Amino acid sequence: MLTSLQNPLVKQVRKLRSSKHRRLQGCFLLEGTHLLQEAALARWPLVTLFYTERWQDKNPQLLSDLQGTVPRCELASAEVLAAIATTLNPDGVVAVAQLASQRPVTIRRLGLVLETLQDPGNVGTLLRTAAAAGVEGVLLSEDSADLESPKVLRASAGAWFKVAAAQCANVLEQVKYYQSQGFQAIATTPRATIEYWSVDYTQPTLILVGNEGAGLSEALLQVSDVRVSIPTSAGVESLNAAIATAVLLYEAKRQRAHALARNRS
């Protein structure tokens, strides 16, 4: 059993809290039973598993399954597990997962572009919403929150494994590429005069979402095909970025469901 916080492996894993060391080690942290279950379903490669006796007693089958695929499994004291985890009350299991060199993103009908979205909670929530709404891919600017941040992973509630997402060096060029393939780019901005429900989302669409405070850059606004806003009550300036995006994504889902129903009738 691992009991010392000075253990070299424990020290190495604790460094994965930072983006710099995730890149250096080529690994990231997965915390909690639910994320481990989702990783197992997705067959995501895990490098090391840390678990407590209490977690082992509660999850014998999951542990047995993981021991068959994870190269190194370590029983750890509650103190060591707490030192590795980034949450205040970890449920007793943390894994080190292999960092993919590049997650392939192929968008055929509906995609999401996030520019300088820096709150990891927002990014994780948007991944969760994107998966639920049928988004095929999410593209993030490099200055957005790190996709492998523990907070992003937790906020995604496992959806991280269900929707393809990648950070790219030039989101503007990505948007232009998809436009050349027949996509419309819809920019969200409170200054727009077109309400979000007035747009046809049944055609191939990219929804562009900007920084929590500053919104989209002028470059992305200029290249967009249409700018939309979400009307709010008097005195309310704007919605949270994740909530505003969810409104648009579910309008797209609603329109597409109605179009599909019409085609079948």
Side-chain angles (χ1 to χ4, degrees), residues 7 16 35 38 76 117 162 166 169 183-184 200 206 219-220 224 261:
N7 181 285
L16 294 176
L35 281 180
E38 293 294 342
L117 205 67
K162 292 179 168 61
F183 278 70
Q184 64 173 343
D200 178 10
L206 291 181
L220 274 185
S224 65

Side-chain angles (χ1 to χ4, degrees), residues 56-202:
Q56 178 181 17
D57 292 340
K58 288 184 175 180
N59 303 275
Q61 186 57 56
L62 179 57
L63 176 59
S64 177
D65 293 343
L66 290 170
Q67 285 175 328
T69 59
V70 182
R72 184 170 184 175
C73 298
E74 296 283 354
L75 181 63
S77 67
E79 291 75 21
V80 167
L81 201 289
I84 293 172
T86 63
T87 51
L88 290 176
N89 297 297
D91 73 353
V93 66
V94 176
V96 176
Q98 187 174 310
L99 191 68
S101 55
Q102 182 66 43
R103 299 178 72 184
V105 176
T106 302
I107 303 169
R108 294 183 175 86
R109 297 290 298 172
L110 181 62
L112 190 58
V113 176
L114 309 180
E115 183 191 37
T116 321
L117 205 67
Q118 297 175 325
D119 186 318
N122 277 339
V123 172
T125 299
L126 279 170
L127 292 177
R128 184 177 184 179
T129 306
V135 170
E136 296 156 325
V138 180
L139 300 172
L140 302 88
S141 61
E142 286 188 326
D143 56 358
S144 292
D146 185 5
L147 268 173
E148 289 79 23
S149 158
K151 289 183 179 179
V152 168
L153 284 150
R154 286 198 303 275
S156 79
W160 193 92
F161 297 100
K162 292 179 168 61
V163 60
Q167 288 179 282
C168 48
N170 194 324
V171 291
L172 178 62
E173 290 305 314
Q174 287 292 314
V175 171
K176 289 180 178 179
Y177 165 76
Y178 277 102
Q179 286 174 313
S180 73
Q181 302 301 305
F183 278 70
Q184 64 173 343
I186 299 177
T188 54
T189 170
R191 300 189 300 275
T193 57
I194 301 174
E195 289 89 354
Y196 74 93
W197 58 70
S198 301
V199 176
D200 178 10
Y201 296 88
T202 61

Side-chain angles (χ1 to χ4, degrees), residues 114 117 122 126 188 209-213 238-247:
L114 309 180
L117 205 67
N122 277 339
L126 279 170
T188 54
V209 182
N211 176 263
E212 290 87 350
S238 62
L239 295 175
N240 166 276
I243 293 173
T245 306
V247 170

